Amino acid sequence: MADKGGHPGGPGRAPEAGSCDRVRNVALVGHSGAGKTTLAEALLAATGTIQRRGRVEDGGTVSDFDEVEVRQQRSVNLALAPFVHDGVKVNLIDTPGYADFVGDLRAGLRAADAALFVISAVDGVDGLTRMLWEECAAVGMPRAVVITKIDQQRGDFDAVLPACQDAFGAGVLPCYFPVGSGDGLSGLIGLLTRRRLDYSSGTRAECAPGPEFLDRIAEQRGALIEGIIQESEDETLMDRYLAGEELDVEALIADLETAVARGTFFPVLATSVPHRGHPGPVIGMLELLEVVTRAFPSPLEHGIPPVTPVRGGPAGTIGCDPEGPLVAEIVKTTSDPYVGRISLVRVFSGTLRPDTVVHVSGHGLEDRGHEDHDVDERVGALTSPLGKTQRTIASCGAGDICAVAKLVRAETGDTLSDPGAPVVMAPWSMPDPLLPVAIRAQSKADEDKLGQALGRLVAEDPTLRLENNAETRQLVLWCMGEAHADVLIDRLATRYGVEVERIELRIPLRETFGGKASGLGRHVKQSGGHGQYGICHVDVEPLPSGGGFEFVDKIVGGVVPRQFIPSVEKGVRAQMDRGVHAGYPLVDIRVTLRDGKAHSVDSSDMAFQSAGALGLKDAASEVPILLLEPVDELGVLIADEYVGPVMSDLTSRRGRVLGSEAVPGGRTMIKAEVPELEIVRYATDLRSMSQGTGTFNRGFLRYEPLPSHLAEKLAAEAKAG
């Protein structure tokens, strides 16, 4: 389709959904660089939503409007791009393809009723795309495959198609194949209709295929028809087909559309969008629009996540009904410096209207800084976003998606419902952030603004966890990866005017005694007035790992008065918190108070606290003090071909591999114990080793002694710092 002049992403009029069955919510899914954003631009242009396609390279696309996206030339946010085709409103959800931003990707899948997997004819299928296909399969989400960049010199549709079939399994079959390649690409051939769709003039023209295509059409058409028949409810079709009967094309298309909507058949389409150096025609948009509007399910056909009453009780039955009780979910929250907080909302039931009161229910992510809350809030204006452009709408009915302004407490993942009968939706699966990044403000002014800015980032992003570590006195952002961390720090600077710098992460170590020792704590001061007098003799011995702290009183004859024995223990505990060697807390010891002296006038609580602390320090000078490091239990889920390298890498990190077990789907779960010092960057390193397919979980296990050479180094650094 030829381009028309004009400004991309012009506001225009917001498309109206009409009824629930005239809505399609579709997520664009695929690896970074596959062409999702470019495909979205082409679909918007093909439907007349925008007058001219923007380009990623120029920062002019509708869905990549964030400053970070423009600079990096890749999507890092979920973006909505609605359009209308053949009387059907399509909410196209452009999701990021880079693994660090999987939170927005999963939010997009939650808001969608179908997924369009975008595969580059140049790069093929990556590991992350395979994993996402499996996630969609697990919930029965309907899917289709779009192979892009078929016009590029290295683009090979015929090579990528079997790779998709191998990666995604049965039911993945082409409905079209391209005519020509590279600069010679001119159109498509439809397998069911056996017609050539010629785009060389800039618009689609149908004609008969040349004789050179007949053998390929016959071969691939037969496989496609057999695939459709296997999913058909008409049990006579196979017998009729095997008997040589010519089946009705319209009936086959209807069966194909039914199978796609059920999530059991996955059509493969081919598209091409002109780009720098290849000014050819746009190919495949009309065919793709037909699949999206005719084969993908409406919200009426797709299930609603489980809903339970906030105040307890059995879950009610919720359907996609504009007249039903309000049930909506916030799939994305953003903060605009001028407008404030904007929430992208998928309405599952009822109708959302501006200036009405709704109940906001948040749940389940306290460990990431998202406090649980149940509050009533008034909805502000409703808009239909087209990228960054907000177009006012009067209401948003069941099955549709809109943006809501001025929800102060609402965060990503929250449920909006009727205040009279508030409910909460089951949360969607969200990966744990496993890359810790320590930051600090660059100035006092930045420090004053940092807390509020981080609070807004946490509200927007459920994959971010904020930790204020009291022990190491560091502010730590737990991120999905380096790219995620870079975007967060960039947003602090550009959106909130807060400059921060990354600093080296400190791992909380421990100290313990390397043997038995005795110490004298003598705190005697006389300065002319009321003096201080406390003397104690203590014995210290190490306990097994995890033994904690024991205090034993063996005073006889009242040499230390009863009221001051707790003071000695208090002083010992205070000194344990401060450490006795490198400034790390002291653990796993038994301290026995066996002797001491007191003064009838000058002894006091504070004097014996000081004596207890001094006694512990004196004992520490008599024996080696061991530094202990935290050890985590790791579970690493990896594709079978990477098991060897991953195990070797874990061993090189001073880890102990405990075993492995096979997991369905050609994967292996490796169990290991690894020191925390060695896995600070493991989230990034594992992704590199496994081509983005490896995942892991971690949990604290115990403390163990550091090797002597590392202990000496860290102790020296602690004393110097």
Side-chain angles (χ1 to χ4, degrees), residues 501-529:
E501 58 184 346
R502 296 174 63 158
I503 57 177
E504 185 177 355
L505 182 75
R506 292 197 292 268
I507 301 298
L509 304 181
R510 296 288 186 267
E511 301 175 359
T512 195
F513 273 54
K516 295 181 179 180
S518 298
L520 168 63
R522 187 175 188 276
H523 184 71
V524 178
K525 291 186 178 181
Q526 189 68 43
S527 56

Side-chain angles (χ1 to χ4, degrees), residues 106-296:
R106 290 190 179 178
L109 290 175
R110 175 66 164 224
D113 300 310
L116 206 53
F117 277 73
V118 182
I119 309 297
S120 166
V122 176
D123 303 316
V125 184
D126 72 339
L128 179 63
T129 306
R130 290 173 183 251
M131 292 171 62
L132 290 171
W133 184 275
E134 293 174 6
E135 286 188 25
C136 291
V139 297
M141 176 170 281
R143 285 146 282 161
V145 177
V146 182
I147 298 178
T148 60
K149 303 183 180 182
I150 58 175
D151 60 328
Q152 297 197 12
Q153 294 300 329
R154 294 189 300 113
D156 191 338
F157 178 88
D158 293 334
V160 172
L161 175 61
C164 291
Q165 294 171 327
D166 178 66
F168 302 148
V172 178
L173 292 169
C175 294
Y176 303 87
F177 65 81
V179 176
S181 61
D183 293 338
L185 181 70
S186 61
L188 305 170
I189 288 182
L191 292 174
L192 287 181
T193 60
R194 287 178 289 199
R195 300 289 290 173
R196 177 172 177 170
L197 308 171
D198 193 337
Y199 282 88
S200 56
S201 65
T203 57
R204 185 172 77 172
E206 289 193 27
C207 58
E212 68 272 23
F213 298 111
L214 296 182
D215 289 344
R216 182 175 180 182
I217 291 174
E219 177 186 355
Q220 295 194 4
R221 187 175 191 268
L224 176 61
I225 290 177
E226 289 177 13
I228 295 173
I229 289 174
Q230 288 178 4
E231 301 299 331
S232 175
E233 296 178 353
D234 187 347
E235 297 179 357
T236 68
L237 276 181
M238 182 61 77
D239 293 336
R240 290 158 51 195
Y241 175 69
L242 294 176
E245 180 181 336
E246 185 68 26
L247 301 179
D248 180 62
V249 171
E250 289 300 320
L252 287 173
I253 292 174
D255 282 340
L256 181 151
E257 292 170 351
T258 300
V260 172
R262 286 201 307 253
T264 56
F265 185 83
F266 316 103
V268 180
L269 300 99
T271 65
S272 167
V273 180
H275 55 96
R276 186 173 295 167
H278 293 272
V282 177
I283 292 175
M285 295 306 119
L286 294 178
E287 292 74 26
L288 179 55
L289 287 167
E290 288 171 1
V291 170
V292 168
T293 55
R294 294 179 57 180
F296 277 168

Side-chain angles (χ1 to χ4, degrees), residues 474-511:
Q474 285 189 320
L475 188 61
V476 181
L477 304 181
W478 286 85
C479 309
M480 297 301 301
E482 289 290 346
H484 188 205
D486 290 342
V487 167
L488 293 170
I489 292 172
D490 186 285
R491 282 182 179 157
L492 286 173
T494 58
R495 188 182 294 178
Y496 302 111
V498 180
E499 297 288 343
V500 300
E501 58 184 346
R502 296 174 63 158
I503 57 177
E504 185 177 355
L505 182 75
R506 292 197 292 268
I507 301 298
L509 304 181
R510 296 288 186 267
E511 301 175 359

Side-chain angles (χ1 to χ4, degrees), residues 614-635:
L614 291 169
L616 184 64
K617 291 180 68 175
D618 186 54
S621 66
E622 302 296 323
V623 293
I625 299 299
L626 304 179
L627 280 188
L628 305 177
E629 62 177 338
V631 176
D632 280 3
E633 184 178 31
L634 257 63

